[in-house]
Amino acid sequence: MDFLSLFVIVPFLTVVGIVFCKDFKQVRLTAAIGMTIQLGLAVALIFMYLAERKAGNMAEMLFMADYVWFPSLNIRYAIGVDGISVAMIGLTAVVVITGILASWEVQHLSREFFISLILLATGVFGFFITIDLFSMFLFYELAVIPMYLLIGLWGTGPKEYSAMKLTLMLMGGSALLLVGIFGLYFNSNPDGGQLTFHILEISKVHIDPMAQRFFFPFTFVGFGVLGAMFPLHTWSPDGHSSAPTAVSMLHAGVLMKLGGYGCFRVAIFLMPDAAHELGWIFLILTTISVVYGAFGAIQQKDLKYINAYSSVSHCGLVLFAILMMNKTSMNGAILQMISHGLMTALFFALIGMIYGRTHTRLINEMGGLMKIIPFLGVVYVIAGLASLGLPGLSGFVAEMTIFIGSFQHTDTFHRVCTIVATSSIVITAVYILRVVGILLMGPIKNKEFENLGDAKWFERLSLGTLVVVIASIGLAPLWLSNMINDSLVPIIEKLTMNL
Amino acid sequence: MMDLSISIWIPLIPLFMFLLIGLFGHRFKPLVSGVMGTIGLGVVAILSYTIAYQYFFVQGKVDGVYHKIIAFNTVWLNLTDKLHIDLGVLLDPIAAMMLVVVSTVSFMVHLYSIGYMHGEKGFHRFFAFLSLFSFSMLGLVLATNIFQMYIFWELVGVSSFLLIGFYYTKPSAVAASKKAFIVTRFADLGFLIGILILSFITGTFDFITLTDTSGEAIRQGATIGFLGMSVMTWAMLLIFMGGAGKSAMFPLHIWLPDAMEGPTPVSALIHAATMVVAGVYLVARMFPVFHTSAPHALEIIAWIGGFTSLFAAVIACTQLDIKRVLAFSTLSQIGYMMLALGVSGYGGEEGLGFMASNFHLFTHAMFKALLFLGAGAVIHAVHSNVMNEMGGLRKYLPITHITFLIACLTIAGVPPFSGFWSKDEILVAAFHFNKILFAVEYAVAGLTAFYMFRLYFTVFWGKDDRHYHHTPHESPLTMTIPLMLLAVASIFAGFIPFTELVTSDGAAFEPHIDYMIAVPSVLIGIVGIIVAMVMYRKENGMPEKMANNLKYLYKWSFNKFYIDEVYMFITKKIIFNYISRPVAWFDRHIIDGTMNGIAGVTNLVSFEIRGFQSGQLQKYAFVFVTSALALVLAFIYLWTN
């Protein structure tokens, strides 16, 4: 029994447990217990990983295991983690448990709701532990499909439309991805012999540059759709605004990270020549994402739309940094994924809680909420400050690592793009302060809201956990940054090998 | 020898206080929060004095030259092989001086606020934010590297934002806090890009390496040109842009007058004595770099400083809100400091401007804090900010009156008060640099005396028999004690031998008094005072007549030269209406429209061709047979040709 598989087994057992629960109280309790165990496992994994590294185990991937399950095509369930996947697993575990807590009072079809939610989480965890492209793809699909049900059944507003749009666009991405993955597979052994989906094995091979040039765009765009890359981001505002709270949290918090992680681990890592050659095209697109998303957020009136556009901007920065292809900027990209995951989960949790009270998400129908619901108000301000990159919170660490790393690029074009991207820190401040000003400050606008209750215990626990994690990464980022850095060394070596 | 590493507690104590009061403050009685915060800052002040004493008189000097001491340093984040962000404590003359300034004023303001904020809602929140600010400002002052400075730079910005918006139910306060944050954030973007360029060229953030005049780093990049200036000049100008934002230099000054929406003690602490001089401190900190590799940038700084000081002084002459007069006066005085840095050379007497700038920073912090706290006492007594609603207050507020008068005399440059000494040095430095700048500053000295005494006479004399709703009464001791202490500091700070302590290269030089400059500058100050006295000592028609005679100048000055309107036009019209709205529209209709279009076309096509899959066997058979026939015919045709 290998340790990493527990990350798939525990959610599966939780789902089985939920099936046997009698009422919704038992369901949510089971879900919470299962995901708390999962969080404990993730923390344990971090410590185990750090201990292994400290003991001098410098293998590229740790805790590896490998089972062939479709021999004729050499499809394997191969797992293993490095510092980057460990960090992503930690992020996922935090977001999932806080998401469960934020949906503590979902009573409508609660069993099905929690089952779908945890299946989604299983897909994400599985994605991060596998190092076999085909299994990775399967886990990815496992994460996307419950999403359709979750939005379509428990969503709000034009939920069928949004769910359909989101699923179709992501499926379109998967189709491109599948082409890319098979492209890699058929080029994985140029000398003839056994073909493979195994990432580490492919990374040892120098794939024919022509094939790279052909398959790189498929893979990058395929993952890029999920990472909300301009102009394929429009599923995000609609999807998020219709999704129920926990789904928005999980989706923006971790599912969108699969895109960035995939671009990094599959597209760039396995096809470095093409990445060097074609990267500039995507660099332009992601630079546009960063600025365009921020400008798009300025005028929105719906809280979820604001956050969705803000996610386009922040996730754009992830892909932007990955394309800079140096150690510092890539480190920044991973940090940004974690930081954005936590921040956006916090935002969506808050928006869900505010919506649950006021039954509106339009900011101009609210005002002066700080006086009525101070706890939620203060946390909203903290989330906003994290989002606009206040030092001491995680966003600053990530953004600064990205900007400094990107600006070290020797090419002027890349540095100019960096300067354009830095301008987002001002635009972000504009839209964040606009929302805080209208939503929380000022006199109480709507008298009906005067008697709203502040956060309940499970809401406080959920928000508090996220705030504590955001602040602790923001205050002491060194260990995390070092953990990621160590794992980047072999990757950067591979990227610069053929230059 | 004392271990200087205890100086790390100077920023940490306020941080701890912030967390304590912020998280648990609502459980205590309000007064407890206030007293805790004040005691914390008292300890910080004592520690700061000890450290400053140790630095200046025991450990700082080696062979007659002050050198930089790293008292504490730790790596916070590793970036590239060369670049890493450290957090630590750097002690040198300007840092030690700023420690004294920040901790003194902060302690006074804490003490004063216990009285001033008494009974306010959110009393503990106020003290939590004050502690947060003190932490950030002290961290900024002690920064060992430019990135640490940037970190705390952002933190003081957010503390300022929180405190300006303290009365968050008041729309004007919310708007002001937003404006302050966004304007300074925009300036910080310049700062950040400047840091990026600087670190790219020199490969370091570290102040000691950067400012080492005999080192390698300082000479990098001076030869690479870009758009007519060297890259280094660009980098330093961008860094100065950050400083100009925080120090509210023209044209980034627009946030400071509005920032007066915050509680008055906040204005005294943040928007008069400490945070707004951070820009001056930044330029002083990077001064060797400016001087060695970006002299053009320095010249630009001189002109911006000179212009701002004149511009703000003219506006201050017509404002009616007592705090706004002081705000514009702050702008004007910071302009003086910037100018002094801009005109300064490096080393020995050449560095007169550098010394003068820091000297003025020090004395200004004392007297401007005093002015604001005095204004706070007045506002506390009459419940209004507007000068026209005041008059004859000297009878009701004797202590406030005397201390305010001392502060006015100090800022007007009347000897032997401290303002005279520091301003005089700036004028001398300007005189040796450029005669036009000197003339400007000379005129500003007269204007300063005029507008300050206009304020003084209107508030404390003027309409003597004014009737108030409640008879104004003197403030409690927690408010008057800081006034008295700061008054003492304002009187005597001028005798501190700055030429021995704070100089550009750390070596002392001999001060001279240039009577050719000192005497006329005192005279023009006295002229300004007399004019103000004639016009405002007793109520008369003169001010109105004057305003009518200078119609346009008065109107433009009163409306702050319409700079705010220009900004509103740019932000509201251009950014909101011509960029953001089209982007949102484009996204919804073009990008998303295309996506939906693709889906729609797919739908349409499938609708059109679904007839082929009707499930009717006859139809299938028909299609099959006709297609087969067509194929056969086609083959035969191809075969025969």
Side-chain angles (χ1 to χ4, degrees):
Chain A
M1 185 63 232
D2 51 275
F3 182 70
L4 285 180
S5 292
L6 285 176
F7 284 98
V8 188
I9 293 168
V10 170
F12 178 73
L13 290 180
T14 314
V15 168
V16 173
I18 290 174
V19 171
F20 291 109
C21 285
K22 283 198 207 76
D23 56 1
F24 102 99
K25 283 189 176 165
Q26 284 186 5
V27 167
R28 70 186 184 188
L29 194 67
T30 317
I33 291 172
M35 291 304 110
T36 310
I37 294 171
Q38 190 84 339
L39 179 65
L41 283 176
V43 174
L45 177 69
I46 293 175
F47 280 108
M48 282 163 64
Y49 177 84
L50 289 175
E52 280 286 312
R53 283 288 187 232
K54 207 170 182 187
N57 186 348
M58 283 302 151
E60 211 173 331
M61 294 276 174
L62 298 183
F63 312 113
M64 297 215 329
D66 200 343
Y67 309 95
V68 179
W69 62 273
F70 199 82
S72 54
L73 285 179
N74 195 16
I75 294 174
R76 292 184 292 188
Y77 169 73
I79 50 178
V81 287
D82 61 0
I84 299 158
S85 11
V86 168
M88 301 309 292
I89 289 169
L91 165 74
T92 311
V94 172
V95 174
V96 171
I97 183 69
T98 52
I100 300 264
L101 284 171
S103 21
W104 203 241
E105 286 185 337
V106 172
Q107 299 202 22
H108 172 62
L109 293 178
S110 64
R111 189 192 312 269
E112 290 77 4
F113 178 83
F114 282 104
I115 287 177
S116 315
L117 202 62
I118 291 171
L119 273 181
L120 195 166
T122 317
V124 177
F125 280 113
F127 184 88
F128 287 130
I129 58 170
T130 46
I131 46 177
D132 180 274
L133 288 176
F134 199 88
S135 313
M136 208 178 215
F137 185 78
L138 283 185
F139 278 119
Y140 169 75
E141 294 298 304
L142 179 61
V144 172
I145 289 169
M147 189 65 77
Y148 177 76
L149 297 174
L150 282 164
I151 298 176
L153 285 174
W154 289 273
T156 51
K159 51 190 181 184
E160 286 89 3
Y161 165 77
S162 304
M164 184 63 86
K165 182 174 192 172
L166 180 139
T167 316
L168 282 182
M169 284 186 74
L170 296 189
M171 284 296 169
S174 316
L176 297 178
L177 198 55
L178 204 59
V179 175
I181 287 177
F182 280 116
L184 281 169
Y185 174 71
F186 286 113
N187 286 287
S188 64
N189 207 336
D191 310 326
Q194 184 64 283
L195 298 173
T196 177
F197 283 109
H198 197 290
I199 290 181
L200 288 186
E201 285 169 16
I202 299 177
S203 76
K204 303 280 183 294
V205 178
H206 184 233
I207 293 175
D208 174 30
M210 270 309 288
Q212 288 196 24
R213 238 168 274 152
F214 186 76
F215 291 111
F216 176 77
F218 282 99
T219 322
F220 199 89
V221 174
F223 279 120
V225 174
L226 193 55
M229 185 177 67
F230 175 88
L232 302 168
H233 61 274
T234 55
W235 56 267
S236 154
D238 288 323
H240 285 317
S241 63
S242 294
T245 304
V247 177
S248 289
M249 288 172 73
L250 251 75
H251 193 189
V254 294
L255 202 62
M256 282 172 85
K257 305 301 163 302
L258 302 195
Y261 182 86
C263 281
F264 163 75
R265 180 79 88 202
V266 180
I268 295 206
F269 181 46
L270 299 182
M271 293 177 271
D273 300 342
H276 281 296
E277 221 170 286
L278 303 174
W280 64 273
I281 302 171
F282 298 105
L283 194 64
I284 292 174
L285 289 179
T286 52
T287 311
I288 293 175
S289 284
V290 172
V291 179
Y292 175 93
F295 270 120
I298 288 186
Q299 285 266 308
Q300 301 298 329
K301 295 188 176 67
D302 182 316
L303 282 173
K304 277 200 168 179
Y305 272 84
I306 293 168
N307 204 34
Y309 278 103
S310 143
S311 291
V312 170
S313 171
H314 282 130
C315 289
L317 207 52
V318 171
L319 296 181
F320 170 87
I322 288 173
L323 287 164
M324 287 291 173
M325 292 198 279
N326 67 45
K327 201 162 82 179
T328 312
S329 69
M330 285 197 160
N331 193 341
I334 313 289
L335 286 171
Q336 173 78 353
M337 283 199 245
I338 294 166
S339 157
H340 174 258
L342 295 164
M343 271 167 5
T344 203
L346 184 56
F347 262 124
F348 277 123
L350 281 164
I351 294 168
M353 290 168 196
I354 292 173
Y355 179 74
R357 289 169 168 76
T358 62
H359 302 289
T360 175
R361 284 196 310 256
L362 299 179
I363 47 173
N364 40 12
E365 289 180 6
M366 296 181 265
L369 291 188
M370 182 66 99
K371 234 185 161 58
I372 310 167
I373 40 176
F375 186 87
L376 294 180
V378 169
V379 177
Y380 201 101
V381 172
I382 294 174
L385 292 177
S387 178
L388 62 76
L390 182 77
L393 300 167
S394 59
F396 178 82
V397 177
E399 283 180 4
M400 291 306 131
T401 313
I402 290 176
F403 292 146
I404 294 198
S406 309
F407 204 79
Q408 298 300 314
H409 205 289
T410 44
D411 183 28
T412 313
F413 168 71
H414 288 74
R415 291 209 299 276
V416 171
C417 284
T418 310
I419 289 181
V420 174
T422 50
S423 69
S424 69
I425 66 168
V426 181
I427 314 168
T428 309
V430 173
Y431 67 76
I432 295 284
L433 295 191
R434 168 175 171 263
V435 176
V436 168
I438 298 176
L439 179 72
L440 302 171
M441 312 298 186
I444 297 169
K445 195 162 174 186
N446 197 332
K447 293 275 173 278
E448 288 165 34
F449 297 159
E450 265 172 3
N451 298 318
L452 298 178
D454 207 353
K456 299 185 183 125
W457 71 267
F458 51 87
E459 291 172 327
R460 283 173 194 251
L461 188 60
S462 168
L463 301 177
T465 312
L466 287 167
V467 169
V468 167
V469 179
I470 289 173
S472 39
I473 292 177
L475 290 171
L478 190 61
W479 69 272
L480 181 60
S481 161
N482 282 350
M483 181 170 96
I484 296 167
N485 238 349
D486 290 342
S487 305
L488 281 171
V489 173
I491 292 169
I492 295 297
E493 249 169 44
K494 156 119 178 129
L495 290 188
T496 48
M497 197 165 58
N498 296 316
L499 271 183
Chain B
M1 292 281 261
M2 185 181 146
D3 184 9
L4 288 178
S5 65
I6 59 159
S7 53
I8 189 66
W9 290 102
I10 294 177
L12 286 184
I13 292 173
L15 175 64
F16 179 66
M17 283 298 162
F18 163 65
L19 293 175
L20 188 67
I21 302 174
L23 291 176
F24 307 108
H26 58 281
R27 308 228 170 124
F28 314 142
K29 275 187 187 152
L31 196 61
V32 178
S33 301
V35 171
M36 272 189 340
T38 311
I39 291 175
L41 248 295
V43 176
V44 169
I46 293 167
L47 256 177
S48 300
Y49 297 151
T50 322
I51 295 287
Y53 174 81
Q54 282 284 324
Y55 180 79
F56 280 123
F57 303 110
V58 184
Q59 300 184 25
K61 221 169 195 168
V62 176
D63 303 329
V65 177
Y66 284 111
H67 65 143
K68 295 188 168 72
I69 298 176
I70 299 277
F72 177 85
N73 203 30
T74 177
V75 177
W76 184 66
L77 188 61
N78 279 318
L79 295 169
T80 64
D81 302 333
K82 282 184 290 182
L83 294 174
H84 47 91
I85 303 176
D86 294 3
L87 293 184
V89 173
L90 172 72
L91 291 175
D92 74 341
I94 49 174
M97 177 200 80
M98 284 296 283
L99 269 189
V100 174
V101 170
V102 175
S103 57
T104 308
V105 179
S106 184
F107 177 58
M108 295 297 161
V109 166
H110 270 80
L111 189 60
Y112 180 91
S113 303
I114 293 181
Y116 186 86
M117 299 300 287
H118 180 76
E120 289 273 0
K121 252 191 123 177
F123 191 82
H124 80 268
R125 180 163 53 94
F126 181 81
F127 277 91
F129 289 167
L130 272 191
S131 294
L132 175 65
F133 172 77
S134 305
F135 156 69
S136 322
M137 191 66 210
L138 290 161
L140 189 158
V141 164
L142 295 172
T144 57
N145 60 79
I146 195 159
F147 217 99
Q148 182 184 352
M149 200 159 188
Y150 181 74
I151 290 175
F152 285 100
W153 193 269
E154 292 295 307
L155 286 172
V156 286
V158 88
S159 328
S160 160
F161 163 76
L162 292 170
L163 282 164
I164 296 170
F166 180 74
Y167 300 114
Y168 62 85
T169 48
K170 210 168 118 195
S172 60
V174 177
S177 63
K178 208 160 88 177
K179 186 172 178 182
F181 194 86
I182 291 172
V183 173
T184 50
R185 184 76 171 186
F186 175 68
D188 294 350
L189 174 65
F191 191 7
L192 177 64
I193 297 173
I195 294 176
L196 291 180
I197 300 175
L198 185 74
S199 61
F200 182 72
I201 298 170
T202 61
T204 181
F205 293 136
D206 186 45
F207 278 138
I208 293 186
T209 324
L210 278 174
T211 58
D212 180 5
T213 45
S214 56
E216 273 293 302
I218 205 166
R219 287 178 218 296
Q220 306 280 328
T223 49
I224 314 166
F226 179 68
L227 293 183
M229 288 196 287
S230 76
V231 179
M232 204 63 171
T233 309
W234 279 107
M236 296 316 284
L237 270 181
L238 284 166
I239 288 178
F240 169 69
M241 181 176 159
K246 275 276 184 293
S247 290
M249 289 288 101
F250 180 87
L252 296 168
H253 64 279
I254 50 158
W255 63 272
L256 186 61
D258 290 25
M260 297 299 131
E261 290 288 342
T264 310
V266 169
S267 312
L269 175 60
I270 302 185
H271 306 118
T274 57
M275 187 190 83
V276 287
V277 296
V280 179
Y281 182 71
L282 172 65
V283 177
R285 172 59 74 216
M286 298 298 285
F287 188 73
V289 186
F290 275 108
H291 184 260
T292 314
S293 37
H296 294 300
L298 215 49
E299 204 171 324
I300 293 171
I301 292 175
W303 285 98
I304 290 180
F307 179 75
T308 308
S309 70
L310 178 65
F311 171 83
V314 171
I315 296 178
C317 291
T318 58
Q319 296 302 306
L320 292 177
D321 183 318
I322 173 168
K323 283 178 75 182
R324 290 200 183 217
V325 175
L326 292 177
F328 280 103
S329 150
T330 307
L331 284 181
S332 175
Q333 298 295 312
I334 297 170
Y336 262 112
M337 299 172 209
M338 282 291 184
L339 168 115
L341 283 172
V343 301
S344 179
Y346 184 80
E349 248 195 290
E350 287 290 301
L352 179 68
F354 181 91
M355 186 283 297
S357 175
N358 284 295
F359 195 5
H360 199 58
L361 191 161
F362 188 87
T363 58
H364 173 259
M366 300 302 156
F367 65 70
K368 191 49 73 59
L370 174 54
L371 282 170
F372 265 108
L373 294 184
V378 169
I379 294 167
H380 198 68
V382 301
H383 302 289
S384 166
N385 282 9
V386 185
M387 275 157 70
N388 288 355
E389 293 173 11
M390 302 171 189
L393 286 173
R394 67 184 185 287
K395 288 173 293 191
Y396 306 108
L397 312 170
I399 301 175
T400 310
H401 169 231
I402 296 296
T403 51
F404 203 87
L405 176 61
I406 291 171
C408 287
L409 288 169
T410 313
I411 191 175
V414 176
F417 299 106
S418 61
F420 162 72
W421 304 100
S422 53
K423 190 184 278 184
D424 188 56
E425 301 286 5
I426 293 181
L427 287 173
V428 174
F431 184 76
H432 292 302
F433 182 77
N434 183 312
K435 300 293 179 289
I436 300 173
L437 275 177
F438 169 74
V440 167
E441 294 314 296
Y442 186 70
V444 172
L447 283 175
T448 309
F450 169 74
Y451 68 70
M452 282 318 300
F453 276 87
R454 168 178 174 263
L455 175 67
Y456 166 75
F457 282 119
T458 319
V459 171
F460 291 101
W461 300 72
K463 194 168 178 186
D464 246 355
D465 48 353
R466 184 177 287 282
H467 182 73
Y468 292 98
H469 266 303
H470 310 279
T471 314
H473 56 86
E474 187 57 279
S475 311
L477 274 179
T478 56
M479 288 168 69
T480 49
I481 288 174
L483 291 180
M484 292 186 273
L485 291 175
L486 285 170
V488 172
S490 300
I491 297 172
F492 295 108
F495 299 110
I496 298 172
F498 263 70
T499 51
E500 284 172 28
L501 299 175
V502 182
T503 55
S504 55
D505 58 350
F509 64 89
E510 274 299 309
H512 306 283
I513 289 253
D514 191 338
Y515 288 102
M516 292 300 290
I517 291 171
V519 174
S521 86
V522 173
L523 283 179
I524 196 170
I526 289 173
V527 169
I529 297 175
I530 291 172
V531 173
M533 190 157 107
V534 172
M535 286 173 69
Y536 299 100
R537 160 86 167 73
K538 284 212 172 70
E539 228 193 354
N540 57 42
M542 244 192 312
E544 213 165 308
K545 228 157 74 195
M546 195 85 155
N548 284 333
N549 284 343
L550 297 168
K551 206 167 162 203
Y552 286 103
L553 182 63
Y554 179 83
K555 207 172 140 204
W556 278 67
S557 158
F558 186 74
N559 289 305
K560 304 167 217 159
F561 293 91
Y562 299 99
I563 304 286
D564 279 279
E565 282 72 12
V566 173
Y567 271 93
M568 279 315 267
F569 177 77
I570 294 175
T571 50
K572 273 263 153 26
K573 280 264 152 57
I574 298 185
I575 296 188
F576 271 67
N577 288 350
Y578 293 121
I579 298 183
S580 178
R581 196 165 287 167
V583 164
W585 184 87
F586 177 78
D587 196 63
R588 285 287 86 188
H589 294 92
I590 307 293
I591 305 251
D592 200 36
T594 315
M595 288 299 155
N596 283 344
I598 293 171
V601 169
T602 315
N603 234 338
L604 204 70
V605 170
S606 67
F607 185 82
E608 289 299 324
I609 61 175
R610 69 178 178 171
F612 290 120
Q613 312 256 325
S614 59
Q616 294 170 324
L617 201 62
Q618 302 96 311
K619 209 170 183 180
Y620 284 169
F622 174 72
V623 172
F624 176 75
V625 172
T626 42
S627 313
L629 264 175
L631 276 174
V632 168
L633 285 175
F635 273 119
I636 292 169
Y637 178 74
L638 286 172
W639 202 277
T640 48
N641 282 348

